[in-house]
Amino acid sequence: MTLMFYNTLSRKKEKFIPIEKNHVRLYTCGPTVYDSAHIGNFRTFLFEDLLKRLLLFKNYSVTHIMNITDIDDKTIRRSNEDGITLKELTHKYTDLFFSDSTWLKILPADKYPKATDHINEMIQMIQKLLDRGFAYVANDKSVFFKISNYPDYGKLIYIKSNLLQSSNRIADDEYEKDSPQDFALWKAYKPADGDVWWDSPWGKGRPGWHIECSAMSMKYLGQYFDIHCGGVDNIFPHHENEIAQSCAATSANFVKMWMHSEHLQIEGDKMSKSEGNFYRIEDLKKQGYTPEVIRFLLLNGHYRTKLNFSLSKRTEAEQAIQRIINIKSKLKTFKIKEENKSGPISEHQKNFISALEDDLDTPKALAILYIWIKDTFKEIDKNNFNKINVQAGLNFLEVVENLLGIIPPKINIPEKIQKLVDKRLYAKKKKNWEVADLIRQELIDLGWKLEDTVDGTVCKPI
RNA sequence: GGCGUCGUACCCAAGUGGCUAAGGGACCGGUUUGCAAAACCGUUAUUCGCCGGUUCGAAUCCGGCCGACGCCUCCA
């Protein structure tokens, strides 16, 4: 089946056909490194990770670029507050972002270009926009994009530019511009910027926010590329502005498919830093969350619906994951008898993939996975599973893991624990139930539980 | 004011015109087991926020209402 993705540009599910055969060029909006990323940011990054994993599974080669925004109002403000240089601040949070991403099993991008390393590219693009009459230099030497000269403005947000209503925030803007809707390409230096500035044809200053993504995506992916992702909040103004400035600069199309993930809510409320209702990865890690549990919770809702993240759902996710671990362990340990018949060829794997191919329908894919698990247990109980079925099952679980990343890696049993397990097994053989149960309790206290099965005793961490 | 999303069991969540409304978690009963765990079997929505309409037929399309929510200049 072909891939279908919802394109924000058309507001419809569309067949995905890459511009270049077998090669997908993907740009995902990265973090602004002024603070640690929170679980909401990671919902978006996880959605993008799933998208990429699916593209790779479909045998596309993927060139994935994720920007690091290391210069903007927030980074400057934060570095002043913390009394450290902008570089010190952004390096700290960039490193943290990478370690959180790795811990969450997010596949790395091919390149993470930083805004501050691409000031020249941005200046060139701004110059081009000035030359073509889509931008102007204001009295204070800032450069703005002139929306009134760009009639296509409003493609993503579905609004005619003349209907854009200005909010109070615009009135507070300290820069001078012709029209309130015009956005900054280059911001003239202000004393509050400290020693953060670059030279430009228009004087000292720093780039506006939107221009970095246009300049860097074009540099690494070309003028026109396949997919650009981000959170829904980026639709306007960020992505709208990116489209305007990119298309105005090149007179060509910019991005074929825009994909956006919905917001995550926390304990039923909108996540907001001012209210303090957000979780960082390190917070969850401290509470004992595993990457798999977080991934499961975030992938359990479709990426285009609002999802509520609640600490109370943790057990639910752990139980659900445990079921996957159980079937895997069953497939690995049960002894296949020669006379076992072959079970029915499973259609579930195909259906699982089809669900993901249909605009990344993870809840449906998970449902199919659980139907498969149930069927597999049944067939095994009926002795209808032979070597080929077992191998097919294990292969399927590998596919599931490659796509969703929700199956924990095998845990090695420490020697000390194994010795206790053996000791109990001996007592059990002698039908010395008291001793066996005592050791089992001892193991539980040490954090390991036992399952006696017909194929032997299985030891699992709690 | 403009643009847009959502409302399916105790909780989470698929399904967007047609076989008995997926699946997970939770709960209860049973089988199995030395006991436990795991697994299996069964039970939990004659009904999809409410009211109308279209249709042979709607959770699914249309209209209205109620409720929750997002964006409208720098928040993933």
Side-chain angles (χ1 to χ4, degrees):
Chain A
M1 196 183 131
T2 47
L3 290 170
M4 298 289 286
F5 295 137
Y6 182 89
N7 189 349
T8 310
L9 212 48
S10 64
R11 308 232 164 151
K12 281 189 188 87
K13 272 191 211 174
E14 292 177 7
K15 268 187 190 168
F16 175 71
I17 300 157
I19 297 162
E20 220 178 296
K21 206 179 176 214
N22 298 327
H23 179 210
V24 179
R25 286 169 288 162
L26 172 70
Y27 187 91
T28 59
C29 269
T32 302
V33 282
Y34 72 106
D35 198 353
S36 16
H38 53 65
I39 186 77
N41 300 120
F42 278 106
R43 180 193 191 182
T44 297
F45 300 143
L46 230 39
F47 137 69
E48 293 158 351
D49 185 53
L50 170 68
L51 171 65
K52 182 173 169 182
R53 284 166 179 257
L54 180 63
L55 290 168
L56 291 170
F57 177 81
K58 298 286 287 179
N59 283 321
Y60 288 112
S61 74
V62 178
T63 305
H64 176 201
I65 304 296
M66 179 183 251
N67 64 298
I68 302 287
T69 301
D70 60 350
I71 165 72
D72 80 325
D73 296 352
K74 291 194 295 289
T75 45
I76 292 174
R77 194 187 338 121
R78 190 64 186 263
S79 70
N80 287 336
E81 281 168 13
D82 292 3
I84 53 176
T85 65
L86 185 70
K87 270 221 148 55
E88 283 168 341
L89 178 90
T90 57
H91 280 182
K92 177 180 162 190
Y93 288 113
T94 304
D95 288 349
L96 190 62
F97 167 70
F98 286 143
S99 68
D100 284 348
S101 294
T102 307
W103 185 76
L104 273 175
K105 309 207 285 195
I106 291 175
L107 301 180
D110 294 286
K111 194 166 175 64
Y112 295 93
K114 293 177 178 176
T116 54
D117 290 338
H118 297 80
I119 304 291
N120 283 338
E121 284 85 346
M122 294 188 235
I123 288 174
Q124 279 168 28
M125 192 163 173
I126 296 168
Q127 189 58 57
K128 213 168 178 178
L129 288 166
L130 281 164
D131 294 345
R132 294 179 148 230
F134 289 110
Y136 58 92
V137 183
N139 291 337
D140 71 342
K141 302 293 179 197
S142 289
V143 184
F144 291 97
F145 186 88
K146 196 167 178 63
I147 287 179
S148 57
N149 284 3
Y150 183 74
D152 275 349
Y153 195 80
K155 263 187 184 169
L156 255 193
I157 196 176
Y158 272 51
I159 200 169
K160 293 220 163 71
S161 55
N162 57 358
L163 290 177
L164 270 177
Q165 192 182 64
S166 56
S167 74
N168 299 333
R169 276 191 274 183
I170 293 177
D172 297 338
D173 206 302
E174 297 152 54
Y175 301 91
E176 292 176 42
K177 40 188 170 179
D178 289 359
S179 162
Q181 285 83 32
D182 292 349
F183 58 90
L185 296 165
W186 184 261
K187 294 183 167 186
Y189 179 79
K190 288 182 297 185
D193 295 345
D195 55 0
V196 179
W197 56 271
W198 288 265
D199 271 323
S200 82
W202 321 287
K204 270 165 74 167
R206 59 189 171 94
W209 173 38
H210 317 296
I211 196 75
E212 65 170 273
C213 286
S214 291
M216 298 196 293
S217 62
M218 280 195 201
K219 174 170 178 178
Y220 295 104
L221 296 173
Q223 276 186 14
Y224 181 48
F225 57 93
D226 298 290
I227 307 176
H228 191 135
C229 303
V232 282
D233 53 310
N234 278 154
I235 294 173
F236 191 86
H238 187 48
H239 291 162
E240 187 68 58
N241 291 350
E242 271 185 55
I243 293 174
Q245 69 201 180
S246 302
C247 295
T250 63
S251 303
N253 282 328
F254 176 43
V255 171
K256 190 167 185 184
M257 196 163 253
W258 290 88
M259 295 175 73
H260 296 95
S261 66
E262 247 300 344
H263 272 172
L264 188 69
Q265 299 189 321
I266 293 286
E267 311 294 353
D269 278 321
K270 188 192 172 184
M271 185 181 319
S272 86
K273 287 216 162 176
S274 55
E275 281 176 42
N277 61 335
F278 62 93
Y279 303 116
R280 295 184 170 90
I281 297 303
E282 59 187 311
D283 301 331
L284 298 174
K285 214 194 271 188
K286 268 185 208 147
Q287 290 184 36
Y289 277 77
T290 62
E292 289 79 16
V293 167
I294 296 175
R295 291 183 70 103
F296 184 93
L297 287 172
L298 295 181
L299 293 174
N300 197 214
H302 186 93
Y303 76 93
R304 284 193 290 111
T305 65
K306 282 188 251 312
L307 180 66
N308 184 29
F309 186 89
S310 166
L311 294 179
S312 65
K313 285 192 198 164
R314 177 175 161 191
T315 315
E316 185 180 320
E318 285 172 345
Q319 290 296 98
I321 290 170
Q322 189 59 49
R323 192 157 163 81
I324 307 175
I325 297 171
N326 289 344
I327 190 67
K328 191 173 173 184
S329 150
K330 183 78 181 172
L331 283 172
K332 282 195 165 164
T333 56
F334 96 99
K335 296 183 177 63
I336 306 159
K337 298 190 189 85
E338 282 304 320
E339 68 271 22
N340 275 9
K341 290 174 289 185
S342 166
I345 302 296
S346 167
E347 287 287 302
H348 299 317
Q349 173 161 354
K350 230 173 75 189
N351 296 339
F352 176 85
I353 301 297
S354 300
L356 293 178
E357 286 172 340
D358 183 15
D359 199 29
L360 307 171
D361 195 341
T362 44
K364 191 174 177 184
L366 285 170
I368 293 161
L369 171 65
Y370 284 98
I371 294 171
W372 172 79
I373 291 174
K374 185 169 247 178
D375 285 357
T376 301
F377 271 122
K378 269 187 208 172
E379 292 302 320
I380 289 175
D381 282 357
K382 285 193 274 181
N383 282 338
N384 276 352
F385 242 51
N386 65 18
K387 254 187 185 157
I388 293 162
N389 299 135
V390 168
Q391 198 47 55
L394 289 170
N395 288 347
F396 179 38
L397 285 172
E398 205 177 311
V399 168
V400 170
E401 174 57 12
N402 284 341
L403 285 165
L404 304 183
I406 55 170
I407 308 177
K410 189 176 180 283
I411 287 164
N412 290 320
I413 297 160
E415 205 179 319
K416 182 182 143 199
I417 301 297
Q418 189 56 51
K419 269 188 181 160
L420 282 168
V421 173
D422 294 342
K423 208 169 139 192
R424 172 175 170 278
L425 219 55
Y426 182 76
K428 203 168 159 263
K429 235 174 215 170
K430 298 266 174 197
K431 296 200 191 291
N432 193 347
W433 309 125
E434 248 179 70
V435 174
D437 289 350
L438 250 133
I439 297 172
R440 183 163 63 193
Q441 186 55 48
E442 194 183 342
L443 282 164
I444 288 170
D445 294 341
L446 289 166
W448 297 81
K449 66 175 172 184
L450 297 179
E451 285 171 19
D452 296 325
T453 76
V454 284
D455 303 302
T457 295
V458 180
C459 182
K460 291 173 182 171
I462 295 168

